[in-house]
């Protein structure tokens, strides 16, 4: 579990690093641009940042759940928790898959767009 969590954290860090690099590159290349192109890229970058934050929250939630399972808690003993026994992670897998799919699409789009800007 620990290695998987570290791998997920590294992937999130890479996503965030890529987003920052694209943001800097776009600011340089679109510095004189006005209107639609710049607004569209700003929107995409904001969406990417929200997705990374969502994945980080998901990872933290998974860490907490793993910790509860390790301690043999069902989540009700954790203050403010909505643990597994209370139904707190019922839709987590579906939401996780949808979020990952959306992030992959955003990342692919940003990579394609970066290549286009470089050409």
């Amino acid at each position: 579990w620990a290695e998987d969590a570290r791998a997920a954290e590294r992937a999130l860090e890479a996503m965030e690093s890529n987003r920052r690099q694209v943001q800097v590159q776009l600011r340089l290349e679109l510095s004189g641009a006005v209107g639609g192109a710049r607004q569209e890229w700003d929107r995409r970058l904001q969406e990417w940042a929200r997705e990374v934050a969502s994945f980080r929250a998901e990872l933290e939630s998974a860490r907490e759940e793993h910790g509860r399972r390790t301690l043999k808690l069902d989540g009700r003993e954790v203050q403010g928790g909505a643990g597994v026994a209370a139904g707190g992670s019922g839709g987590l897998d579906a939401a996780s898959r949808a979020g990952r799919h959306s992030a992959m699409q955003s990342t692919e789009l940003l990579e394609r767009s970066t290549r286009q800007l470089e050409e």
Side-chain angles (χ1 to χ4, degrees), residues 47-104:
E47 181 182 332
W48 199 358
R50 282 190 303 271
E51 288 172 351
V52 169
S54 172
F55 291 145
R56 283 197 187 283
E58 225 176 280
L59 177 59
E60 186 59 34
S61 176
R63 282 183 173 142
E64 290 171 1
E65 183 178 332
H66 176 73
R68 285 191 297 271
R69 274 190 266 139
T70 300
L71 296 172
K72 297 185 182 355
L73 299 175
D74 66 6
R76 287 176 285 193
E77 293 88 350
V78 178
Q79 184 174 354
V84 176
S89 68
L92 185 61
D93 290 336
S96 175
R97 282 192 300 274
R100 279 190 209 105
H101 180 69
S102 176
M104 287 183 348

Side-chain angles (χ1 to χ4, degrees), residues 1 9-10 13 22 25 32-33 36 43-45 51 55 63 69 73 80 82 92 95 99 102-103 107-109:
W1 157 255
E9 186 65 38
R10 284 190 301 269
E13 288 169 6
V22 169
Q25 184 176 357
R43 185 190 64 76
R44 288 177 184 175
L45 288 168
E51 288 172 351
F55 291 145
R63 282 183 173 142
R69 274 190 266 139
L73 299 175
L92 185 61
S102 176
T107 301
E108 289 171 6
L109 177 62

